[in-house]
């Protein structure tokens, strides 16, 4: 981030404090513990990754409500669905890629049976870093989004995660929650109210222009760089706004219409394959509403590899300079 | 044991009223045998009327389902959402004409509805759909998934200290799916002794005999090595089916597998063990011939 960005201010989001950064998977683990006492129907199923999906705290505190299913994700999904059919609220957790890999089981057990199954995929995207391509969930949103009845959520920080998990427990029906391995700065304060199916304006210049150079739609791990890009562009004379898309399905088509009405262009950024995720959802909304607005999509176009998250975000075009570029001109 | 007596014994004070089975399925072995002949004819008729469906695996499993529903299942067709009911998951979903028939005979819906199989808007889908037909515990049809869901149902019952039983009915070809073995591996871990798997071992699947396509034997040894209690029975002998279900009910500490040897297309000579009848509907004349043969002279 440039020094000039430090001086810029926004209406919605304070500059994130370093100390408040938290991986969304960590916030998920805390939310489970918070919700467990008042919701005895909550049970948790793991496939040998509870240390990584952050359900260990729940497992220790509520051993009779935690089921270790071993390295057998499809059975975990099926057993979770059976538990749901008998009134439990089961959370099945694994890496995003391993859950999405059992798509047909999810299709039948969760979506077609319309069970109250809560699927939590952590380690989303190239943001996981060094573990490399086989561990990166990069196609999961696209896969889950085309399943009827399945809601898809990707919160961008700890507070939003806690509220999204709370919503999941109240909501009856299958939900897929996508979480990061890496720490995320805190964008939402305790006064934030997560609204299912709605995007929220995460950052905009204090003095709002009539017209924005661009509105950036960002989700999950891509959000911090989107905010950094908008901040950096302001002193260069470009007003850019960042919209956070936590609910990826059903998508907030109205938010796209609003962006189209007062922005030169729309940019989408996501740590997911460029096909099927946030960018696709925004394009679908624009097509549905007949909006004549340029849309530039930023996402991952191939498999990842081993490196630091920062190196990978730069390598795959998700760094803030890439996003700034997309706000100004079409990418080749 | 008669079903009324069984329900009396299981009745928990205040939890539910005594459930009497509808009179449609009789309790004496002779009457049940005669009634199953009617069911076989209905299976043939409904698939013939639909113009598609799976007669082979329906005729192989009908005796098992008829005994289960008439003599063992604690259920109330008028209250399919009764929390303490026993659960049946037909994991071999393509055998649903047999399940629909047994459900119609036990009073879940009028028998006339059987002839709507596979028609637009019918609750009797080509494979069972729990959201369209009350009494179906789990929508199935993608082989290999039903047992996992049944394990979840049994696990929930154990957590809640309920005494309902969960039955999963699987095909033998279905056991080629890896997910089945994940579920078979996990049921003993949770000591699900109120879970019973019934394998309809008819040795047939679309591409040929199971032992030729991909052998699953020795099946009893496999279940036992996965720490299940396993029995092998003649799946068309009503007495053996009842005895095996009774033994399973009394077994404690382990989940139970009943491997029922059956004949695909049982009861219709030109269908028996003929893989072409796995998923083909009989024409009107063929259905008439089959019905006449089932009913006998």
């Amino acid at each position: 981030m440039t020094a000039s960005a430090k001086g810029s201010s926004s209406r919605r989001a304070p500059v994130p404090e370093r100390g408040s950064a938290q991986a969304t998977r960590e916030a998920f683990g805390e939310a489970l513990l918070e919700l467990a006492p008042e919701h005895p129907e909550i049970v948790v199923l793991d496939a040998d990754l509870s240390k990584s999906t952050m359900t260990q705290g729940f497992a220790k505190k509520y051993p009779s409500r935690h089921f270790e299913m071993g390295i057998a994700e499809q059975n975990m999904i099926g057993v979770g669905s059976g538990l749901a059919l008998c009134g439990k609220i089961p959370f099945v957790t694994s890496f995003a890629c391993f859950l999405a890999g059992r798509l047909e089981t999810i299709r039948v057990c969760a979506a077609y049976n319309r069970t109250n199954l809560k699927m939590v995929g952590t380690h989303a995207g190239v943001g996981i870093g060094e573990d490399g391509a086989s561990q990166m969930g990069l196609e999961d949103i696209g896969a889950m989004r085309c399943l009827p009845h399945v809601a898809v959520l990707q919160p961008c920080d700890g507070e939003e995660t806690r509220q999204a998990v709370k919503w999941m427990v109240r909501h009856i029906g299958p939900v897929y929650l996508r979480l990061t391995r890496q720490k995320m700065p805190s964008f939402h304060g305790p006064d934030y109210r997560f609204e299912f199916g709605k995007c929220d304006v995460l950052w905009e210049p204090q003095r709002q222009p009539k017209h924005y150079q661009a509105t950036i739609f960002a989700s999950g791990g891509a959000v911090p760089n989107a905010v950094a890009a908008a901040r950096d562009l302001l002193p260069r004379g470009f007003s850019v706004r960042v919209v956070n898309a936590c609910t990826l399905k059903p998508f907030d088509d109205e938010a796209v219409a609003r962006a189209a009405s007062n922005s030169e262009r729309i940019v989408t950024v996501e740590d997911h394959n460029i096909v099927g995720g946030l960018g696709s959802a925004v394009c679908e909304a624009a097509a549905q509403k007949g909006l004549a607005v340029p849309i530039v999509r930023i996402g991952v176009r191939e498999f990842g590899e081993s490196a630091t998250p920062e190196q990978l975000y730069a390598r795959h075009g998700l760094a803030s300079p890439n996003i700034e570029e997309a706000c100004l001109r079409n990418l080749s | 044991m008669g079903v009324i007596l069984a329900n009396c014994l299981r009745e928990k004070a205040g939890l539910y009223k005594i459930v009497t089975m509808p009179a449609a399925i009789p309790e004496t072995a002779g009457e049940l045998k005669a009634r199953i002949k009617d069911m076989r004819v209905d299976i043939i008729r409904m698939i013939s009327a639909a113009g598609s469906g799976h007669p082979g695996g329906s005729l192989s499993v009908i005796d098992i389902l008829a005994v289960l529903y008439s003599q063992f299942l604690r259920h109330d067709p008028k209250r399919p959402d009764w929390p303490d009911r026993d659960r049946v998951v037909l994991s071999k979903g393509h055998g649903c004409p047999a399940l629909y028939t047994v459900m119609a005979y036990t009073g879940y819906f009028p028998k006339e509805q059987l002839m709507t199989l596979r028609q637009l808007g019918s609750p009797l889908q080509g494979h069972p759909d729990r959201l369209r037909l009350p009494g179906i515990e789990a929508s199935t049809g993608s082989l290999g998934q039903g047992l996992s869901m049944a394990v979840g149902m049994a696990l929930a019952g154990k957590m809640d200290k309920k005494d309902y039983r969960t039955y999963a009915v699987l095909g033998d070809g279905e056991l080629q799916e890896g997910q089945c073995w994940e579920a078979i591996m996990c049921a003993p871990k949770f000591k699900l002794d109120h879970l019973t798997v019934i394998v309809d071992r008819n040795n047939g699947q679309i591409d040929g005999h199971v032992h030729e396509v991909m052998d699953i034997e020795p099946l009893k040894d496999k279940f036992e090595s996965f720490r299940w209690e396993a029995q092998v029975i003649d799946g068309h002998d009503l007495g053996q089916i009842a005895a095996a279900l009774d033994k399973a009910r009394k077994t404690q500490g382990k989940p139970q597998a009943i491997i029922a040897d059956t004949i695909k297309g049982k009861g219709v000579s030109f269908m028996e063990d003929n893989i072409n009848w796995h998923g083909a509907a009989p024409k009107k004349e063929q259905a008439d011939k089959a019905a006449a043969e089932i009913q006998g002279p």
Side-chain angles (χ1 to χ4, degrees):
Chain A
M1 200 177 294
T2 61
S4 61
K6 238 180 162 183
S8 67
S9 57
S10 69
R11 189 164 65 85
R12 309 268 170 148
V15 177
E17 291 167 31
R18 287 183 79 88
S20 62
Q22 183 183 37
T24 55
R25 60 179 172 139
E26 290 175 65
F28 160 68
E30 291 174 7
L32 273 183
L33 280 170
E34 200 179 303
L35 292 162
E38 54 171 318
H39 297 282
E41 323 83 33
I42 294 177
V43 294
V44 175
L45 288 78
D46 278 302
D48 198 38
L49 284 171
S50 66
K51 283 179 193 160
S52 300
T53 62
M54 297 291 164
T55 54
Q56 273 211 319
F58 183 95
K60 279 202 184 106
K61 192 147 185 209
Y62 303 97
S64 65
R65 291 160 63 181
H66 178 262
F67 303 104
E68 177 54 72
M69 307 303 291
I71 308 167
E73 293 81 10
Q74 25 181 15
N75 183 53
M76 172 175 75
I77 293 158
V79 172
S81 300
L83 284 159
L85 287 169
C86 294
K88 301 296 173 195
I89 305 176
F91 282 79
V92 297
T93 84
S94 186
F95 286 6
C97 57
F98 303 145
L99 284 181
R102 278 70 192 174
L103 185 66
E104 206 266 340
T105 308
I106 295 171
R107 174 177 180 265
V108 173
C109 289
Y112 181 48
N113 271 282
R114 220 167 168 170
T115 48
N116 196 18
L117 186 70
K118 314 304 178 188
M119 298 168 278
V120 180
T122 67
H123 292 58
V126 298
I128 72 163
E130 291 80 354
D131 270 351
S134 68
Q135 315 296 300
M136 294 170 172
L138 279 167
E139 304 82 18
D140 49 322
I141 298 173
M144 301 291 179
R145 227 164 50 87
C146 61
L147 295 175
H149 310 308
V150 178
V152 180
L153 303 179
Q154 176 166 236
C156 72
D157 63 10
E159 182 59 31
E160 189 167 55
T161 303
R162 279 183 284 276
Q163 295 195 26
V165 175
K166 206 177 271 186
W167 174 85
M168 285 169 79
V169 171
R170 281 199 315 270
H171 172 77
I172 298 172
V175 182
Y176 176 65
L177 179 72
R178 186 181 203 243
L179 300 174
T180 63
R181 173 184 183 274
Q182 73 270 31
K183 287 193 186 311
M184 300 294 294
S186 163
F187 292 100
H188 295 102
D191 55 333
Y192 169 68
R193 291 292 164 263
F194 164 75
E195 242 189 291
F196 173 64
K198 297 279 182 233
C199 293
D200 65 300
V201 176
L202 197 65
W203 192 90
E204 59 190 3
Q206 202 160 39
R207 193 180 306 140
Q208 291 170 53
K210 259 199 181 138
H211 252 77
Y212 287 95
Q213 167 64 27
T215 295
I216 305 173
F217 281 81
S219 187
V223 167
N225 286 353
V227 172
R231 272 208 200 104
D232 287 357
L233 283 170
L234 190 58
R236 289 167 62 189
F238 299 106
S239 293
V240 170
R241 167 172 62 175
V242 179
V243 170
N244 168 49
C246 177
T247 309
L248 293 163
K249 189 195 158 193
F251 199 71
D252 185 356
D253 291 2
E254 291 304 325
V256 180
R258 280 195 298 277
S261 71
N262 62 5
S263 312
E264 291 296 315
R265 59 174 55 212
I266 290 174
V267 174
T268 68
V269 200
E270 61 193 316
D271 188 355
H272 181 272
N273 191 283
I274 195 135
V275 175
L278 171 66
S280 295
V282 168
C283 289
E284 288 158 18
Q288 189 70 29
K289 293 196 164 284
L291 305 171
V293 59
I295 300 175
V296 183
R297 294 173 302 140
I298 297 178
V300 181
R301 291 171 185 270
E302 50 197 312
F303 290 113
E305 68 244 57
S306 292
T308 66
E310 294 73 23
Q311 286 171 329
L312 290 172
Y313 271 35
R315 161 83 176 74
H316 291 273
L318 276 71
S320 58
N322 306 111
I323 302 169
E324 289 171 36
E325 183 80 4
C327 290
L328 303 179
R329 58 185 68 86
N330 293 344
L331 301 173
S332 55
Chain B
M1 191 193 307
V3 74
I4 297 172
L5 177 60
N7 282 331
C8 285
L9 292 175
R10 288 167 178 161
E11 184 180 22
K12 279 189 171 177
L15 275 180
Y16 69 99
K17 298 233 188 296
I18 295 170
V19 180
T20 52
M21 291 291 294
I25 288 198
E27 289 186 29
T28 71
E31 286 171 33
L32 183 58
K33 208 167 185 175
R35 199 53 54 91
I36 292 174
K37 284 185 177 178
D38 297 342
M39 293 181 187
R40 283 200 151 85
V41 172
D42 277 336
I43 289 169
I44 293 291
R45 294 282 182 211
M46 68 196 285
I47 295 174
S48 182
S52 64
H54 299 86
S58 301
L59 293 171
S60 66
V61 80
I62 184 66
D63 297 295
I64 295 162
L65 292 176
V67 173
L68 178 61
Y69 271 74
S70 68
Q71 297 180 4
F72 287 86
L73 211 61
R74 185 174 77 186
H75 68 146
D76 180 355
K78 300 292 169 236
R79 285 164 59 206
D81 58 350
W82 175 34
D84 292 324
R85 69 193 184 278
D86 288 344
R87 269 81 171 164
V88 178
V89 176
L90 183 69
S91 191
K92 48 166 283 179
H94 59 282
C96 60
L99 180 61
Y100 296 155
T101 304
V102 170
M103 288 173 72
Y105 276 70
T106 44
Y108 281 88
F109 53 86
K111 281 188 210 166
E112 300 75 61
Q113 210 166 2
L114 288 174
M115 293 305 145
T116 69
L117 174 73
R118 291 176 169 242
Q119 287 175 18
L120 183 65
S122 171
L124 310 189
Q125 293 287 297
H127 294 78
D129 184 334
R130 76 172 194 94
L131 296 169
R132 290 176 198 254
L133 183 61
I136 296 292
E137 296 292 349
S139 305
T140 54
S142 175
L143 295 173
Q145 301 190 19
L147 181 53
S148 296
M149 288 192 271
V151 166
M153 293 174 190
L155 197 51
K158 197 172 175 97
M159 279 186 79
D160 294 341
K161 299 192 168 45
K162 287 186 178 284
D163 66 348
Y164 66 76
R165 300 194 60 84
T166 304
Y167 297 91
V169 181
L170 276 64
D172 51 352
E174 178 175 11
L175 286 162
Q176 292 159 352
E177 286 280 3
Q179 186 179 345
C180 292
W181 297 99
E182 293 182 4
I184 292 167
M185 202 186 312
C186 95
K189 168 174 174 172
F190 301 114
K191 299 193 168 47
L192 302 178
D193 54 6
H194 51 316
L195 172 70
T196 302
V197 162
I198 306 165
V199 179
D200 174 16
R201 186 160 67 177
N202 61 29
N203 195 27
Q205 58 186 114
I206 296 174
D207 280 352
H209 285 114
V210 173
H211 66 267
E212 292 158 351
V213 174
M214 184 55 70
D215 201 358
I216 58 165
E217 298 302 331
L219 194 52
K220 183 167 186 278
D221 293 350
K222 284 194 169 99
F223 270 107
E224 284 170 349
S225 69
F226 278 72
R227 297 179 190 155
W228 285 56
E229 192 79 29
Q231 316 175 52
V232 176
I233 60 161
D234 176 345
H236 298 305
D237 181 321
L238 307 188
Q240 285 193 33
I241 297 168
L245 286 168
D246 190 49
K247 187 178 169 197
R249 193 162 59 184
K250 289 173 183 154
T251 303
Q252 292 194 335
K254 283 180 174 185
Q256 303 92 39
I258 298 172
I259 301 163
D261 282 321
T262 58
I263 295 167
K264 207 152 181 158
K266 170 75 178 177
V268 180
S269 60
F270 60 89
M271 288 186 177
E272 286 192 0
D273 199 32
N274 181 345
I275 208 61
N276 294 327
W277 289 102
H278 168 89
K283 305 240 182 306
K284 176 79 172 62
E285 318 79 70
Q286 291 170 314
D288 290 343
K289 195 178 158 202
E293 200 182 296
I294 290 164
Q295 292 296 12

